[in-house]
Amino acid sequence: MKYLLKWPLALVLLLPALSIYSQEEHNEPEGHHEETQEPGHLRDVFRNSHLHGHIRNYFMNTVNRGDLKDYYTNATGGAVGFTTGNYKGFEAGVKGIFTYKTFGNDLGMEDPITGKNARYEYELYDVLNKGNFKDLDRLEELFIRYRFGNSYLTYGKIETEYTPLLNHSDGRMKPFAHRGAWAHLNLGRPHQFNLGWLNGMSPRATTEWFNFEEGLGLFYNGFQPDGHEAHYHEFYPSSGMGIFNYRYRRDNFTFKVYDYYMDKVMNTLWTQVDYEFKDFNLGVQYVYQSPFSYNEDLNYQHRYVQPDENGQVLSSQLSWQQSRLRFAFAYTHAFDSGRFLFPKELGRDNFFTSISRSRLEGMGDVDVLALKGEYAFLKPKLHFGVEMQQILGAQPGDFKYNKYNVDESFQVNTHFRYNVEGFLDGLSFDLLWVYRENQNQKDAESIFNKSNFNQINFVTNFYF
């Protein structure tokens, strides 16, 4: 906590912005508003428009163990979106987002022991252009949408709809963004469908747009199962990803299925069942992955997934909630049939045991346990939550099931959120404290900016 003691005034002066640590399922895109009287002139379409956005300030401080170097930074920015009024079902929208570094230490300064520099703090800016802290704007949305009944069709640079793998993941200054077409078909209870085809992406913590061939593998490629470094970036002429989602809901029972077809690469089938009884909720997720034959035509080191890999994951959760108090226990098992893989450039996995700063992607033949508790106060509107996670079976050096060579670990996340009421409605403050510890390898190279650290995230948000 060395640097936190230096910045009490900075924390008081933080500007407002968005909540970042929960990912909810939304059926209506941002900017949706009730249809008004049918406009008689073109100018009425703009008079009935909707302006929305946010202002955000994010302070992050990673405190590494002992003499390993610590990093801190403060990013300020926001987003402004404009959606036209509705004319015969049609509407259009545009949204831009920007970020600046307001203060912090030198993120490029190398740690004298490991020779490495900052990791998480760079993710508030542009991880593909480290050192750029000012020219960080992005055209996040530019779309046309047609509404009919409770359904809609959207095309362009669109707000990312929620799925357990492909999602907004709004946990930095810039979230994941996607380009393509999306159809939301609400046929009334109990049936709902979503169909999408995406041909472009702008990954979280970046400012540029990429097609799928360019985007796959932009980030660290990890290792192949034989232990050699993977190099699959720009080896897949993929035209995009197709998404199918069906949801069935009746009484206390909900069934969801998601299918992700990534051209030339693989198919991922995600199924989920939830059942509520009295104060309890039982959820089960099962995922099965199938690589496509195109992988066989590539050299071993250039493959994203090996032809004999079939990632399988079973995740379950039992939760209890009464009034404003909630407890949950979750267990996930990744089978030894292959590593569970999903491009980091597209989203983050949301298994029942997935928590901030820890996901399952890249692992197989492991077990993950999670215990969660949260309480919501009414006056003031304060939310407090604690998550504890244990990863068992991850063996450093066993690259067959360990793409990023991680160790077994124990992690605790503590989260406070305060939502302001009255005149300042829309203003919120989030505080996330992360502690993570390796269970076996604790040398400097293995833990620097990866584990055995404390991290403070303080975010001020204002929606408008």
Side-chain angles (χ1 to χ4, degrees):
M1 310 290 175
K2 308 169 190 175
Y3 293 106
L4 290 176
L5 300 177
K6 292 185 178 182
W7 299 105
L9 179 61
L11 298 180
V12 173
L13 297 177
L14 293 177
L15 297 175
L18 253 197
S19 173
I20 60 169
Y21 301 110
S22 65
Q23 178 70 48
E24 297 182 355
E25 191 165 342
H26 300 285
N27 294 329
E28 296 293 342
E30 184 179 352
H32 171 64
H33 53 288
E34 295 296 328
E35 285 190 41
T36 58
Q37 182 178 351
E38 186 76 18
H41 302 88
L42 177 61
R43 62 176 177 267
D44 294 332
V45 176
F46 292 92
R47 285 174 176 171
N48 295 333
S49 64
H50 175 66
L51 186 69
H52 57 91
H54 70 264
I55 303 170
R56 167 173 298 174
N57 196 92
Y58 197 134
F59 175 82
M60 180 185 288
N61 179 202
T62 303
V63 183
N64 286 297
R65 188 197 66 186
D67 294 330
L68 296 175
K69 186 168 179 57
D70 305 332
Y71 297 93
Y72 70 94
T73 194
N74 191 88
T76 304
V80 178
F82 173 87
T83 305
T84 67
N86 191 291
Y87 180 70
K88 297 187 181 301
F90 288 94
E91 58 190 24
V94 62
K95 184 178 181 181
I97 191 168
F98 65 92
T99 305
Y100 292 93
K101 179 182 178 182
T102 43
F103 64 84
N105 65 354
D106 183 359
L107 304 184
M109 185 176 295
E110 294 183 353
D111 171 67
I113 299 176
T114 64
K116 301 177 182 178
N117 51 30
R119 176 188 176 189
Y120 290 109
E121 285 73 13
Y122 271 125
E123 294 180 2
L124 299 188
Y125 306 105
D126 186 351
V127 294
L128 301 179
N129 189 11
K130 294 181 178 180
N132 178 16
F133 301 115
K134 294 182 180 180
D135 184 19
L136 295 169
D137 54 291
R138 179 171 79 183
L139 181 61
E140 188 130 312
E141 297 176 18
L142 181 62
F143 63 86
I144 185 169
R145 179 183 296 129
Y146 176 68
R147 293 186 179 276
F148 52 103
N150 293 321
S151 304
Y152 55 83
L153 306 173
T154 309
Y155 177 77
K157 294 179 178 178
I158 59 179
E159 179 192 4
T160 303
E161 305 274 352
Y162 174 79
T163 81
L165 292 175
L166 189 89
N167 42 57
H168 211 50
S169 290
D170 199 10
R172 302 293 188 272
M173 293 298 288
K174 290 184 176 64
F176 292 94
H178 303 93
R179 182 184 66 224
W182 194 273
H184 174 75
L185 306 175
N186 194 334
L187 306 181
R189 291 179 74 98
H191 307 288
Q192 178 181 293
F193 291 88
N194 286 284
L195 299 169
W197 178 264
L198 303 179
N199 57 18
M201 67 184 82
S202 184
R204 187 174 71 173
T206 67
T207 59
E208 301 297 324
W209 283 87
F210 305 91
N211 61 35
F212 268 65
E213 181 176 4
E214 298 169 324
L216 179 63
L218 274 174
F219 300 154
Y220 177 50
N221 288 190
F223 295 88
Q224 295 289 5
D226 68 352
H228 288 90
E229 289 191 6
H231 298 284
Y232 50 79
H233 183 222
E234 295 188 328
F235 279 92
Y236 285 86
S238 176
S239 60
M241 173 178 285
I243 303 99
F244 167 80
N245 165 231
Y246 168 69
R247 186 184 73 182
Y248 174 87
R249 178 181 293 173
R250 184 178 292 277
D251 299 326
N252 299 332
F253 176 82
T254 304
F255 170 74
K256 302 174 186 176
V257 58
Y258 300 86
D259 191 78
Y260 306 84
Y261 171 90
M262 189 168 181
D263 180 46
K264 302 286 194 305
V265 186
M266 65 192 307
N267 191 83
T268 299
L269 180 65
W270 178 299
T271 57
Q272 180 170 333
V273 175
D274 293 278
Y275 182 72
E276 298 178 4
F277 52 102
K278 295 184 178 180
D279 298 328
F280 293 89
N281 182 288
L282 176 64
V284 178
Q285 300 166 330
Y286 176 71
V287 178
Y288 184 83
Q289 298 186 301
S290 305
F292 294 145
S293 60
Y294 186 84
N295 294 279
E296 301 174 9
D297 298 331
L298 298 175
N299 291 330
Y300 188 91
Q301 70 271 24
H302 297 153
R303 295 170 180 167
Y304 177 76
V305 56
Q306 296 300 328
D308 59 347
E309 288 191 288
N310 296 102
Q312 293 186 75
V313 179
L314 180 65
S315 185
S316 60
Q317 177 174 271
L318 179 64
S319 63
W320 174 87
Q321 182 168 353
Q322 195 171 77
S323 184
R324 300 182 301 276
L325 180 64
R326 181 177 183 269
F327 291 101
F329 173 75
Y331 167 72
T332 297
H333 177 69
F335 292 84
D336 61 2
S337 56
R339 303 164 297 172
F340 167 74
L341 302 170
F342 194 82
K344 288 180 176 290
E345 296 81 9
L346 291 174
R348 293 290 183 267
D349 61 78
N350 282 268
F351 291 104
F352 289 125
T353 52
S354 299
I355 62 176
S356 295
R357 307 297 182 270
S358 179
R359 302 297 167 117
L360 186 68
E361 199 273 325
M363 290 190 282
D365 195 23
V366 297
D367 297 287
V368 187
L369 306 173
L371 185 63
K372 312 170 189 177
E374 53 188 299
Y375 186 79
F377 298 86
L378 286 179
K379 296 291 183 179
K381 279 195 171 181
L382 179 66
H383 174 275
F384 170 71
V386 177
E387 299 172 309
M388 294 183 289
Q389 182 205 68
Q390 180 90 49
I391 298 178
L392 302 170
Q395 300 294 326
D398 181 15
F399 298 101
K400 183 178 180 180
Y401 302 115
N402 199 338
K403 178 177 180 179
Y404 302 109
N405 200 32
V406 299
D407 191 10
E408 295 178 313
S409 64
F410 175 74
Q411 181 172 325
V412 179
N413 288 1
T414 305
H415 180 218
F416 293 89
R417 178 184 296 125
Y418 172 52
N419 295 316
V420 182
E421 299 180 279
F423 177 74
L424 295 177
D425 182 41
L427 174 65
S428 65
F429 301 93
D430 283 271
L431 177 64
L432 174 68
W433 171 31
V434 178
Y435 175 72
R436 182 181 176 90
E437 180 178 324
N438 274 2
Q439 299 296 284
N440 301 300
Q441 293 193 334
K442 300 185 180 182
D443 59 285
E445 287 288 339
S446 298
I447 66 171
F448 181 66
N449 281 336
K450 298 178 183 177
S451 191
N452 296 64
F453 65 72
N454 285 276
Q455 187 185 83
I456 293 293
N457 302 262
F458 185 77
V459 187
T460 310
N461 304 298
F462 184 69
Y463 275 117
F464 61 87

